[in-house]
Amino acid sequence: MSGERAVHWTLVLVSLLVVGWIRTLPLSLGGLGEYAKRIVLVTHARQMAARLPAGTTPAQGERLVAAELRQWVKTNAAQFRTERDATEAKLRSELTYTGKDGARHVFLGGYDSYHWLRMARNYLRTGTTCDAIRDGRCIDTYANAPVGRVNIYARSLHIAAIVAVERLITFFRPGYPLASSSFLVPVIIGLLGVFPAFAIGRRLAGNLGGLSAAIVIGINPLFLKRSLSSDNDVWNVVLPLFLAWAAIEASLAERPRRQIGCAIAAGIVVGLHAATWSGWPMAYGVVLFAMAANLGVESARAVIAGYTNRASEPDRLRRAATVVAVFYMASAICVAIAGGQSYFAVPVILLRQAFGPHRAGAEALNLFPNVFSTVAELRKYNLTGIADFMSGQIPFFASWIGLLLLLIPRRGCQTRHYAILLVGNYVYWYLLTSNPGRFALLALLSLPIAAALLVDLVSAEPAADLGAGLLIGIWFLASLFLSYQGLRFVMLLAAPFGIAFGVAMGRLYQWLEGQVRRLNRPRAEQAIRPLVFATLAGVLILPARAGYETTLNYVPPINSGWWRTFTYLRRHSLPDSIVTAWWDYGYWTEYAAERRTTADGGSLATHIPYWIARVLAAPSDRQSAGLLRMLDCGSDSTPLPEGRKGAWGKLAAYGADPIRDEAIVSRLAQLDRAEADAYLAAQNFDPNARANILRSTHCDPPPAYLVLNTKLATLSGWWYMANWDFTREYIFRHERPLPEAKAVADMGARFGYTADKARALYKEANAVRTPLEKIRFLAPTLNDLNSRWFQCHASPDSSLVCDANLQVGKNYVVRQMIYRPDAPTESRLVVSKAGHDSTRLEMTPQLMVVAGRKRLDDVSFPSPGWPGLGVLVDLPNSRARLGSPALLRSTFARLFFLNGRYDPIFTNVSRQDGFAGERISTWKVNWRELRN
């Protein structure tokens, strides 16, 4: 083996070791020691805070507790280590389980990963991923219960990989858990991604370019977070890398046979991607557009050569044409075999992905809240945030320079090339510091690239890597454009960023190597070149450390508490039961409990999450159970075809009016069947229509369970949807664009508003400028205040006094909550203005909910001093908490905060404690009580 090849494979091995080591760290849960340390410190800090003297301000208390805590750790080091070790052991037991092989295994993390896991289990059990076949379509009967939905990923490379790994491992180690096999899939695929990343980087910028690209891509923190849990995201980085590798080799190959072979290989990768992810057209479109652009550039070069009598290179034009034609046909054949989306509709699909809004449903008049806006992985970031996910602003800036370097000759640079680099540096640094919008960013980012391309067109010696440079540049710009749509799309930038960064690093080394060679001192060159290489390679320690910390601190969201909950459901519920949990936990339920669910991660495009939010927020258990019955009788999976079986879909079929239909469904949920029939008759529905609708609202439902957990108490997402105002959404979308006179008249005719009220709403809607202002307009009653419990004590005058010291908003700190059992309306809040701790004021909340042993009473204050603030007093447990009046009256509050001790409709059947104090409670719905 030659020395150069030995260096090459040594660096590949180093890349594999680094990526593999970091990707397998979660198997050891190495970060639990630090997590346990923080828990011990927080526990002691709270105990110390409880002993602070009365009147201590929050700032003083923080300083005193910090000082006392430091002293305690110094003087009680042995006790601290013992408590930390015991806490770590407890945490480890909550995050691991014993497999059938007798070994301990870490729970598989993620949410969507459990869908792939169940599909793999289905295949291993029955030879198909489908739960049922209807009209020749693969149906997932566990999802969107009771109607199910079409399984769009019935055939997936990810499922096949999980099955293959499981069969291979269990052949040698029987009893090895399927979940652990699934965890190994992204490890294996991530390692395979090292090869194309290294090959592309090395082809474009030498060995250091290959090493940098392989490591920076393989351990990108966001890529790790998105793929550690065995979701299919790992394929969406690795397959485009293989696609780009094959396309680049095709565009740079000298021999026609290699050009055709590589183009066919690229088409095969497109087919594999189509069999794995519905978003495959993005990577395919980038490559096809880059090939077409390369063909256009070579055609323009030939035309220019004809006019200037300059020698042309027909082989370049012929190669560009051959590659694009072969790739297009090969991709068409492979996508058809894979059963992907219509190949010839790809342009429309790409435009929809780039510019189409992610709304729940596509009907013309859909006023339901956009569930996708509450999904963390679709949170939007500006350029600074995107750069932070790509190792920081300096590496991101370097990657932009790498894009320019791809379009500039490696040797023989002229003054104009240096000018482009200089101007490009200034432009890119300005972009990085000014944080422009994505359209302005891409326009300015493209200017130096376009200038380099024009210079290359008129150069006598064009850049040898032009085709590859166009592909990487277009890939980078397209991914950056999509990154503005949400976090999950930022991950797609990891591969082109890593390659561009590798090009910058590799070209810098090649330039320095050239400077060393100019010394014309062979011995000095032999010593200096490895030193320069090692110095530049040392920069990779920073991204490696970021990836290491990401996997070291990995904690799976599912834990033993959740698993015990699902075990209870699997053992104690009937097979036809339907479990309702927030959509995040749907896939867990389907896999671990093996029961049908109301919603899962595939339900986000439907109305179902909105109705679940309404179930949790309903002011009475009877209304909550009525909404659950509506979902369990026919669901509301609109706009999917199965939505026709639900109450909302049936109402819409009799005349679509979303505001009316939502109000009718909400009203029906509160009525018994006779009352509901009379109500529908009053709405002018004929007997056949009434019977049809009532089959989806008042059927004899299957056994039902409601699962609640601590995370819901943070009110993230579901509370926003529960407070949604359909009328205001209609006004914002349909009345706001109209002239004021026409909008006011329409609101009067449609809603019965007075001219003054309609005019005020019209002006309020047109004053909206920011997303936050839009939220406040569409959900004006939204108040997400929800404190923790505060312990209370009896005072000499028999009042119940609860010390809080809780800052609410920017202006006030609630010091105490005082409840007067003999005169409830004289109950008070003792508050102070923020920053004025010595000043004490007495105020009344809007509502005080008093929870006794047998009944729940509301105490309303005629003239509340603090509108929008509520207090929940739990008398049996001598504690109180603050929250919005609507939250404290909700079914969620009664079940989760007060353990459902008042209403027989919901019966608690399981309560489990999970990781770090998480609580999961399961409630069975007593349909008989609802009918009484």
Side-chain angles (χ1 to χ4, degrees), residues 378-581:
L378 292 177
R379 179 183 174 186
K380 296 180 179 179
Y381 290 84
N382 58 17
L383 182 61
T384 301
I386 293 170
D388 289 340
F389 283 116
M390 298 297 125
S391 303
Q393 295 189 25
I394 300 302
F396 202 52
F397 172 74
S399 71
W400 288 354
I401 301 305
L403 295 179
L404 272 182
L405 291 172
L406 283 171
L407 300 177
I408 291 177
R410 300 195 197 189
R411 296 180 178 84
C413 285
Q414 301 175 3
T415 304
R416 51 192 172 186
H417 296 123
Y418 291 114
I420 290 172
L421 279 175
L422 182 62
V423 173
N425 272 309
Y426 280 111
V427 171
Y428 291 165
W429 189 253
Y430 165 77
L431 292 176
L432 202 61
T433 55
S434 62
N435 230 333
R438 63 174 175 174
F439 287 101
L441 169 68
L442 294 180
L444 292 174
L445 191 61
S446 301
L447 284 178
I449 296 175
L453 192 59
L454 289 174
V455 168
D456 187 78
L457 270 175
V458 299
S459 296
E461 296 185 8
D465 304 323
L466 180 64
L470 284 172
L471 193 154
I472 303 301
I474 292 170
W475 188 8
F476 191 105
L477 295 176
S479 300
L480 183 58
F481 181 82
L482 287 176
S483 295
Y484 279 79
Q485 293 186 181
L487 180 60
R488 68 176 301 177
F489 298 102
V490 178
M491 185 196 70
L492 302 179
L493 183 60
F497 157 76
I499 293 171
F501 177 77
V503 168
M505 292 286 291
R507 294 288 177 89
L508 175 60
Y509 170 71
Q510 289 174 342
W511 179 80
L512 291 174
E513 186 182 38
Q515 302 306 307
V516 171
R517 194 176 293 113
R518 287 184 179 182
L519 296 176
N520 199 23
R521 295 181 180 179
R523 292 185 178 180
E525 182 180 342
Q526 291 177 1
I528 295 175
R529 284 177 59 191
L531 180 62
V532 173
F533 187 96
T535 302
L536 292 178
V539 174
L540 299 178
I541 293 175
L542 296 177
R545 181 176 179 179
Y548 170 78
E549 291 177 350
T550 298
T551 53
L552 184 68
N553 296 320
Y554 169 82
V555 174
I558 195 171
N559 52 62
S560 59
W562 278 103
W563 206 260
R564 287 192 297 269
T565 296
F566 298 135
T567 300
Y568 173 87
L569 288 168
R570 187 174 64 252
R571 291 177 177 175
H572 299 284
S573 66
L574 294 175
D576 66 336
S577 298
I578 297 177
V579 179
T580 299

Side-chain angles (χ1 to χ4, degrees), residues 254-284:
E254 296 294 336
R255 293 176 296 174
R257 183 178 298 178
R258 182 172 176 80
Q259 296 164 12
I260 294 173
C262 289
I264 292 175
I268 293 173
V269 177
V270 171
L272 292 174
H273 205 189
T276 306
W277 186 43
S278 61
W280 65 269
M282 186 267 185
Y284 161 77

Side-chain angles (χ1 to χ4, degrees), residues 763-828:
K763 291 180 179 178
E764 186 180 350
N766 277 277
V768 171
R769 294 291 181 272
T770 66
L772 181 59
E773 290 175 350
K774 182 179 178 181
I775 290 174
R776 289 172 177 169
F777 176 78
L778 298 178
T781 60
L782 182 64
N783 181 345
D784 58 0
L785 174 64
N786 181 28
S787 76
R788 61 181 177 86
W789 285 110
F790 300 102
Q791 287 303 126
C792 308
H793 61 274
S795 65
D797 65 353
S798 299
S799 297
L800 194 65
V801 180
C802 315
D803 295 319
N805 289 325
L806 176 71
Q807 183 164 341
V808 180
K810 296 181 179 179
N811 299 323
Y812 291 100
V813 177
V814 177
R815 299 296 178 183
Q816 290 181 327
M817 295 168 281
I818 303 174
Y819 170 65
R820 295 284 303 276
D822 55 336
T825 56
E826 295 182 11
S827 301
R828 294 289 185 270

